[in-house]
């Protein structure tokens, strides 16, 4: 059963088409992350689901009920905003109960729900404070609580963590994940932070220009991006792209770039490898191996020069020049390289992705 | 799953629409309706009471052949240009001075702003009194020994409009200063730092960097001042009643006098239509700049 | 804070300092209190402040002088003999026609006019601004544009049509007619102010409230109002002073026993009996200005802040 | 019954006169609610008119009788007084009867004239001339001759306020006196532009151009401030209507001793019969209508006429009242009136619009040397040509 | 030779003491990063160096010249701001030349400098555009250019990248690093992003509350944090802290927590290991090893339960409960764990840090 279904939804602001015939099905109890660059329409889509924006065309179903024209409050959704959007003049308790009072629930019931939510979120000692007296993390928790008390089917999060600092962000990330495991609600979560997306999601929908580019599980998205955009967008440090051509070679295919030929043995194609005069080989930095000596691990390797070394704590990023192309390789931080060192590179082809330069689709 | 029909647009946000009725009423009936009514009747020969007897452009013909109207327009031009320039300059300079992290900022600001609380009637009366040649500035300075000192704007036809200007600036610059100050405070502090690191002198920073950055504020104040200028009436009435002679007449007063005193509504309407036209000439480029180019996000 | 980490560094660098000539300036840059810059700034401000204060001073001293002193002396000299007679006369005795009760009657009329006008105009404009900022509906922009243009229409253009409209509504000459007029003419600028302010509030608050099931009015009263004190103060100041100071509408849309204070002021100042009694006129002028002045002096700071919030942006 | 009465009589003498009306009206058991609007008819009339057209009329209101209320009457907003007038025989009482004609539209009577005001006076301060060491003039030419002496003595020869109607009024007085009655009538009644451009009027403009030199230093706004200059001897004279008399009276001055008055500038002894009249807007409340009638009748009654006009310094509209108490100047006026040397007032002959245009021209002319007598005359003629 | 020396600098705003007798020496040509949480005084310190704030006490030397009282423009510094602070109404060229024109440099010279700077920063095609027509990254480059043309000794950067999105940030980071290698100027760089700090810095100064906590090379800071604050602040995901005690055990010391005893063999102490009843063992997630079976790699291990798995692309973060303490471990993303799985943990003690709980100093 689908929890939220979006059918052919389009939305334009005047001449700007933000969403174009978008389709999306979110499963019951799923944690779906909408990921995409700024301005791609993530918030817009979320607002459409919430009923805060009227769609120009298409329909929205929540729990198989057509809610396209219903008021936000009648859709069974709760929403958490980036800026917390707490009512500044009300106490935490007031914030939590506002929605319930609007539904004219009995006082006992309200009390009980607030108790439960504040226990889950551990904000019991804060109930009498005003938002201004809370820290960022506490505010975010209250904001979640506001959705929680309303017992909704679907939680919508719009970049709930981007106003927080890195440390708090990773803490709250874990909390949200735990909350989802506890509640088992459907959650739709907008972010442009890929670590958040990768760690939280059951499935990720990568958006660009109002269109969903790929909808898959995190590791599938990471390892087998459907197109160039997804490949480049996901992963930090970013994937390396080598420009070249796919050619026949012996019993299989090979990738030829700048005179070198890299055999595509073990590559897992989406469709099939075909010859292509213009192709891109995408390799993530952790799948680029560099060694001081050629053939150190028995694989075919190519000579390259070290450009720059960026230590990042646990590991370092080494930028190397291979012919006229620049690549980054991720190495353990104990291995040190200096600018100008000559190294030998080899690629982990089974983990690489091959793209047709024209269609930008993965082969 | 069935495709539900789109509900009637009229009833979406019904409450908002109901709440906006006063605004719609004011906009359509009073402002648009009243304006159109006025324009229409300016083509008639209505006297004390409006009546629809068309006379074409006769009223405008007469208007532009009346020396009082011409003088009014001239006065408005002089008053307008000077008050625009001085309001902006004084307002900005004061704001810039107040923005120097000075002591007593609040006191100074209050002093500059308080005249804005007073009506034009009061302003006109006070300045009439201060500029009175027998009691005011002129006589005081003469008493101090400069026997030949002459400063009698209110009774000298050539400069009377400047006498009014002094009073008008006194009343109005405080608000302009306030807006400018708000604008200055809104400017990214880093720009100042960048300019200091670049070694740019303060006056240059203001002239070439800050003022261009404050364009929106300047436009807002410009429109504010301009609309006030076109409407100037009470001040003149209280201070000079248009005198000496008709040396300080302004269009608004002409319109009022023709409509009610001269019992020639149509003539007054023609005058006010011309004023409206002036306003449009000022406003439309502004509206175009402000709203035409980019939509509000 | 006792932190060995920083102590270590401090100790290490201490040696370095010893190696070097520890000369040259240290500590804050010396600042002359009376620098040329300060003289310029405060000098200019003072001169300008005098220009702004002189009228108030002249009004005050003139109102405390007797007529003989005024005729002889100069307007800037302080009163030799302070008399409050002009104040008394202006307040309670000055005549217009047969009515010799000075400004006192006008004062209460002004209060009676101002309070409902301020309340109604702010109420209407704030709801409008709220509807425009948060509940944009089709066509709203058109009406709003007309409304803003209305702010710049010379009043004279509207005087006559409004007479007709009020007559048709049967409100002409009543207090409510005048209140309506003030509401109408206050609407453009106030609506703009409120719209800008509400737009500057985080839109997400509004969205959150809608998700929470609050309706149009509930959001307005429970969410927006409590957050809008600064802009309400600005609106209140603008309206109180504007309406209190209004002359044109007061004189055209009321009748003598409901004349506001400004009209009474004009009557007193223009009812010259023999010589002009400048002292009474000035006292009357001051009395008329007292209410807006007091409001300014009390809430000037909020006004400035609110102006910044509502007028400059958006 | 309460009746609100609006008027613009707020100067000292005027207010005292109004008080007489109020007293008399209150004595009938009604109540006079005073609605004075300060600042001359110019300020007050717009308010009165908008109230009447706005549907919130007062009980009675002052206008200058003549054409000011013409359209209001035509629009049916005014009470028809014909019945009352016929019952009380106003036609017989009111003298000169032309005053009643000014109240008549299509044969019905709509207003009560309450006084006669004539513009044709110059008021001279004895003190000023004494100080200057010249005799008090007895006509305009003498006045012109004496002006330099006054100037020398530091006096303002001719006091004149800055209100527009004062300029045009003074000009009108001069034109009757200097251009002669025929020319004046041709211009103001027949609206003969040629006459306005003719040599008689050229003389007037010439004289006015000279006179504007005399008034140069009178930096006052209101007419009564100008009068005050005369009263205190700071100015030699003032061309002003007979209402100025009230000010002299309030100041305790005696005609012939402290000041003199010359009707028709001492040249052409006529007086124009302008004046004030009360109109009664139509009201719904029959009781109020009743009170209006009472007030109308009261205003024309002998005693009230006397009491009012004595205070106001104007002439009564009835020929049959005894004005023993009247002073010198007023008596002069009464004589002229009795002699039938009367003219209509410009309020009766010209529309407010035309008057306004003339006022504009005159204000400009009187205050600025930039406009020559010839130019002014030419523009004057144009206005007359377009007059309605 | 020191490029910038800060001697006993204090600064207070009224009663708030932001900097307290701070000392700092920046070497010639060094890339020094000031890292610290928000509000710790980083920008304040930078502004003091630039001369934009007057110190309350102390001295500042640039190139051995006492500049404590000099004007910003005379200090030989260039500054790049977070908000770019470009002059919006001037073209890029105008922005670059405005400062030079004020120094009344000859036109040729100005041209030459602009050419050089725009070549280095690759903004030649943008010279005639206004800032509003530039992307965030381009703006940032122009802001750098403005410092570049002035030929200054010291570059000051105040969080120059924090307004940019993640992708652009990592690109520009590399560019700045390259720029530094090319120019060899001294650069002082403020950030609160530790990846930036680690990758860019020759040395990092970690600040807190107006005091420098540690000044060292990036990997030293990462691997041997001098105190608890630095240890917790650096590294993402954050270091794990196990509460326990240091006890004598056999011929050496051991860390005892919740009944387990972890031998401290191979630990590299800053001073010396001493017995401590209250101590914290800090281990970074990549130094926590988890295995399905006990003793898989021959080391002593402890049983624990998996709490949560967070895939992060290249690797995953596994949250485990060890007794009543929660730890995170970084594992390759190909290894999958499920909630409730029992695993065996062991620690890489040579890479760990031991803190006294009271003094918070590393042993
Ligand atoms: N009210 C509006 N009028 C016109 N255009 C709009 C409006 N709201 C959003 N847009 C446009 O719609 C597009 C999508 O906006 P949206 O807020 O959904 O992006 P987003 O993916 O949430 O971006 P971010 O990550 O920055 O929040 C943007 O290009 C934006 O400019
Ligand atoms: N003008 C000022 N008046 C008073 N206090 C100030 C002022 N400027 C800064 N502070 C205080 O000084 C402290 C340090 O500020 P600073 O801007 O240097 O922090 P920071 O480390 O740059 O933080 P961030 O990372 O947020 O930029 C803060 O607590 C701040 O509140
Ligand atoms: Mg968004
Ligand atoms: Mg900072």
């Amino acid at each position: 059963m689908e929890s939220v279904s979006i059918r052919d939804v389009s939305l334009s602001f005047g001449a700007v088409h933000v969403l174009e015939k978008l389709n999306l099905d979110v499963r019951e109890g799923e944690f779906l992350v909408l990921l995409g660059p700024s301005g791609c329409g993530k918030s817009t889509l979320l607002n459409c689901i919430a009923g805060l924006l009227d769609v120009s065309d298409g329909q929205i179903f929540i729990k198989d009920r057509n809610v396209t024209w219903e008021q936000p409050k009648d859709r069974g959704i709760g929403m958490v905003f980036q800026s917390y959007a707490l009512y500044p003049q009300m106490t935490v308790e007031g914030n939590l109960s506002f929605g319930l009072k609007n539904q004219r629930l009995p006082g006992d019931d309200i009390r009980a729900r607030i108790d439960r939510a504040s226990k889950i979120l551990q904000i019991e000692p804060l109930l009498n404070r005003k938002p201004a007296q809370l820290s960022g993390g506490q505010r975010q928790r209250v904001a979640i609580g506001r959705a929680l008390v309303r017992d909704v089917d679907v939680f919508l999060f719009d970049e709930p963590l981007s106003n927080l600092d890195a440390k708090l962000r990773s803490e709250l990330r874990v909390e949200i994940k735990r909350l989802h495991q506890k509640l088992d609600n459907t959650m739709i979560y907008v972010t442009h932070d890929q670590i958040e997306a990768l760690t939280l999601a059951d499935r990720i929908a990568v958006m660009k220009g109002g269109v969903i580019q790929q909808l898959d599980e995190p590791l599938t998205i990471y390892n087998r991006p459907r197109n160039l955009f997804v490949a480049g967008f996901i992963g930090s440090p970013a994937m390396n792209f080598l420009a070249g051509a796919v050619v026949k070679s012996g019993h299989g295919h090979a990738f030829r770039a700048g005179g070198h030929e890299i055999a595509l043995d073990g590559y897992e194609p989406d469709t099939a490898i075909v010859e292509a005069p213009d192709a891109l080989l995408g390799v993530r930095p952790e799948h680029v191996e560099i060694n001081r000596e050629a053939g150190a691990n028995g694989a075919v390797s190519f000579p390259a020069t070290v450009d720059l070394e960026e230590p990042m704590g646990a590991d370092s990023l080494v930028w190397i020049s291979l012919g006229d192309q620049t690549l980054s390789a991720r190495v353990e931080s104990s291995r040190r390289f200096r600018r100008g060192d000559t190294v030998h590179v080899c690629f982990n082809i089974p983990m690489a992705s091959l793209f047709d330069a024209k269609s930008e689709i993965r082969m | 799953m069935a495709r539900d029909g789109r509900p009637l647009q009229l009833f979406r946000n019904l409450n908002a629409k109901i709440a906006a009725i006063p605004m719609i009423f004011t906009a359509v009936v009073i402002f648009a309706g009243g304006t159109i009514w006025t324009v229409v009747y300016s083509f008639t020969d209505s006297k004390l009471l409006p009546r629809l007897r068309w006379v074409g452009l006769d009223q405008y013909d007469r208007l532009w052949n009346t020396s009082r109207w011409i003088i009014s327009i001239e006065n408005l031009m002089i008053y307008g240009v000077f008050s625009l320039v001085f309001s902006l300059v004084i307002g900005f300079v004061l704001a810039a001075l107040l923005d120097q992290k000075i002591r007593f900022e609040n006191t100074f600001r209050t002093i500059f702003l308080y005249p804005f609380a007073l009506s034009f009637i009061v302003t006109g009366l006070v300045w009439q009194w201060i500029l009175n040649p027998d009691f005011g500035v002129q006589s005081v300075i003469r008493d101090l020994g400069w026997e030949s000192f002459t400063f009698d704007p209110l009774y000298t036809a050539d400069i009377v409009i400047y006498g009014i200007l002094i009073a008008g600036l006194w009343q109005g610059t405080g608000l302009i200063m306030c807006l400018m100050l708000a604008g200055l405070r809104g400017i990214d502090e880093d720009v100042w730092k960048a300019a200091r690191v670049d070694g740019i002198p303060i006056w240059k920073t203001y002239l070439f960097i800050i003022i261009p950055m404050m364009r929106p504020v300047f436009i807002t104040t410009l429109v504010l001042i301009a609309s006030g200028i076109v409407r100037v009436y009470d001040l003149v009435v209280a201070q000079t009643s248009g005198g000496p002679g008709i040396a300080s007449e302004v269009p608004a007063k002409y319109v009022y006098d023709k409509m009610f005193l001269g019992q020639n509504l149509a003539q007054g309407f023609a005058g006010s239509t011309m004023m409206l036209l002036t306003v449009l000439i000022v406003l439309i480029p502004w509206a175009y700049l402000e709203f035409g180019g980019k939509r509000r996000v | 804070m006792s932190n060995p980490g920083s102590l270590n560094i401090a100790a290490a660098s201490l040696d370095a300092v010893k190696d070097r000539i520890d000369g040259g300036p240290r500590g804050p840059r010396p600042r002359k209190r009376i620098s040329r810059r300060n003289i310029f700034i405060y000098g200019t401000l003072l001169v300008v402040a005098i220009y702004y204060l002189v009228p108030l001073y002249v009004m005050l001293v003139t109102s405390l002088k007797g007529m003989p002193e005024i005729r002889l002396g100069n307007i800037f000299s302080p009163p030799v003999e302070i008399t409050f007679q002009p104040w008394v006369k202006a307040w309670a005795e000055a005549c217009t026609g047969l009515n010799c009760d000075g400004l006192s009657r006008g004062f209460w009329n002004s209060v009676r006019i101002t309070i409902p006008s301020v309340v109604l105009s702010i109420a209407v404009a704030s709801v409008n601004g709220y509807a425009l900022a948060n509940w944009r509906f089709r066509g709203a922009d058109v009406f709003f544009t007309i409304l803003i243009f209305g702010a710049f229409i010379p009043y004279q253009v509207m005087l006559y049509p409004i007479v007709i409209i009020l007559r048709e509504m049967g409100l002409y000459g009543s207090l409510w007619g005048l209140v309506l007029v003030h509401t109408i003419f206050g609407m453009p600028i106030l609506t703009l102010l409120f719209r800008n302010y509400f737009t500057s509030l985080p839109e997400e608050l509004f969205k959150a409230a809608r998700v929470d099931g609050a309706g149009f009015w509930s959001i307005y009263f429970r969410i927006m109002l409590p957050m809008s004190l600064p802009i309400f103060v600005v609106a209140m100041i603008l309206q109180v002073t504007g309406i209190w100071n209004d002359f044109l509408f007061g004189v055209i849309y009321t009748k003598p026993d409901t004349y506001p204070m400004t009209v009474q002021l004009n009557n007193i100042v223009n009812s010259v009996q023999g010589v002009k009694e400048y002292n009474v006129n000035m006292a009357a002028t001051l009395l008329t200005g007292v209410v807006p002045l007091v409001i300014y002096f009390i809430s000037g700071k909020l006004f400035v802040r609110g102006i910044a919030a509502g007028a400059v942006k958006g | 019954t309460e009746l609100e009465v609006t008027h613009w009589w707020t100067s000292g003498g005027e207010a005292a006169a109004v008080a007489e009306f109020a007293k008399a009206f209150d004595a009938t058991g009604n109540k006079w609610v005073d609605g004075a609007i300060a600042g001359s008819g110019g300020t007050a009339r717009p308010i009165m008119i908008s109230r009447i057209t706005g549907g919130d009329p007062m009980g009675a209101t002052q206008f200058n009788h003549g054409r000011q209320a013409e359209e209001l009457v035509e629009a049916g907003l005014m009470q028809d007084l014909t019945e009352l007038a016929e019952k009380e025989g106003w036609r017989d009482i009111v003298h000169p009867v032309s005053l009643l004609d000014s109240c008549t539209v299509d044969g019905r009577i709509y207003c009560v004239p309450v006084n006669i005001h004539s513009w044709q006076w110059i008021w001279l301060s004895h003190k000023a001339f004494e100080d200057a060491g010249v005799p008090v003039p007895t006509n305009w030419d003498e006045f012109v001759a004496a002006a330099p002496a006054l100037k020398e003595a530091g006096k303002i020869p001719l006091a004149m306020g800055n209100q527009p109607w004062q300029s045009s009024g003074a000009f009108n007085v001069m034109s009757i006196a200097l251009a002669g009655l025929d020319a004046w009538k041709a211009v103001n009644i027949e609206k003969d532009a040629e006459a306005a451009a003719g040599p008689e009027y050229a003389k007037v403009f010439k004289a006015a151009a000279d006179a504007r030199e005399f008034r140069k230093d009178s930096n006052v706004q209101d007419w009564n401030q100008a009068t005050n200059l005369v009263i205190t001897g700071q100015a030699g004279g003032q061309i002003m209507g007979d209402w100025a008399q009230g000010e002299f009276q309030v100041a305790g001055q005696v005609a012939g001793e402290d000041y003199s008055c010359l009707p028709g500038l001492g040249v052409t002894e006529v007086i124009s019969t302008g004046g004030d009249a009360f109109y009664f807007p139509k009201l719904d409340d029959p009781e109020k209508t009743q009170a209006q009638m009472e007030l109308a009748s009261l205003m024309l009654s002998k005693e009230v006429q006397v009491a009012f006009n004595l205070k106001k310094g104007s002439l009564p509209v009835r020929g049959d009242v005894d004005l023993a108490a009247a002073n010198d100047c007023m008596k002069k006026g009464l004589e002229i009136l009795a002699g039938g040397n009367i003219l209509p007032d410009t309020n009766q002959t010209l529309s407010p619009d035309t008057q306004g245009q003339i006022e504009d021209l005159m204000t400009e002319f009187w205050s600025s040397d930039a406009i020559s007598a010839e130019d002014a005359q030419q523009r004057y003629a144009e206005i007359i040509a377009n007059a309605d």
Side-chain angles (χ1 to χ4, degrees), chain A residues 236-237 309-317 329-331 333:
Chain A
S236 166
E309 186 202 27
E310 292 194 307
M312 301 201 299
D315 31 38
S316 304
L317 208 60
R330 197 155 165 176
V331 302
S333 66

Side-chain angles (χ1 to χ4, degrees), chain D residues 1 23 28 33 38 56 70 73 76 81 89 128 139 185 205 214-215 221 238 250 253 271 276 292 296 328 330 342 352:
Chain D
T1 327
K23 208 163 64 190
T28 63
V33 177
D56 175 41
E70 207 172 66
V73 172
L81 304 175
N139 62 38
K185 281 182 180 161
F205 274 98
F214 303 156
R215 63 146 298 208
Q221 188 70 24
Q238 180 192 19
V250 169
Q253 298 217 324
I271 58 176
D276 301 295
Q292 283 178 327
D328 249 19
M330 205 181 275
I342 53 168

Side-chain angles (χ1 to χ4, degrees), chain D residues 9 39 52 92 103 123 127 149 206 248 264 266 280 304 310 318 341 363 367:
Chain D
W9 286 327
I52 295 168
D92 306 325
C103 284
W123 309 85
K127 178 170 179 292
K206 185 90 200 10
F248 286 98
F280 299 87
V304 176
L310 281 179
R318 308 173 63 123
N341 290 329
T363 330
S367 64

Side-chain angles (χ1 to χ4, degrees), chain C residues 186-223:
Chain C
M187 203 182 288
I189 206 77
L190 288 188
T191 305
L192 178 71
L193 218 58
F194 277 107
R195 190 198 73 141
N196 285 355
Y197 184 83
F198 287 131
T199 313
S200 77
L201 292 182
E203 200 191 359
E204 297 184 339
L205 268 179
F206 167 75
K207 289 183 174 173
R210 280 197 70 192
V211 171
D212 268 348
F216 184 87
W217 294 110
S218 169
I219 295 179
Y220 175 72
F221 284 110
R222 308 270 309 274
I223 309 293

Side-chain angles (χ1 to χ4, degrees), chain A residues 73 77-78 100 103 113 146-152, chain C residues 211-212:
Chain A
K73 63 179 162 101
I77 50 109
L100 303 177
Q103 294 176 22
R113 284 168 181 234
R146 207 164 45 179
L148 206 54
V149 289
R150 290 184 46 242
D151 242 352
V152 293
Chain C
V211 171
D212 268 348

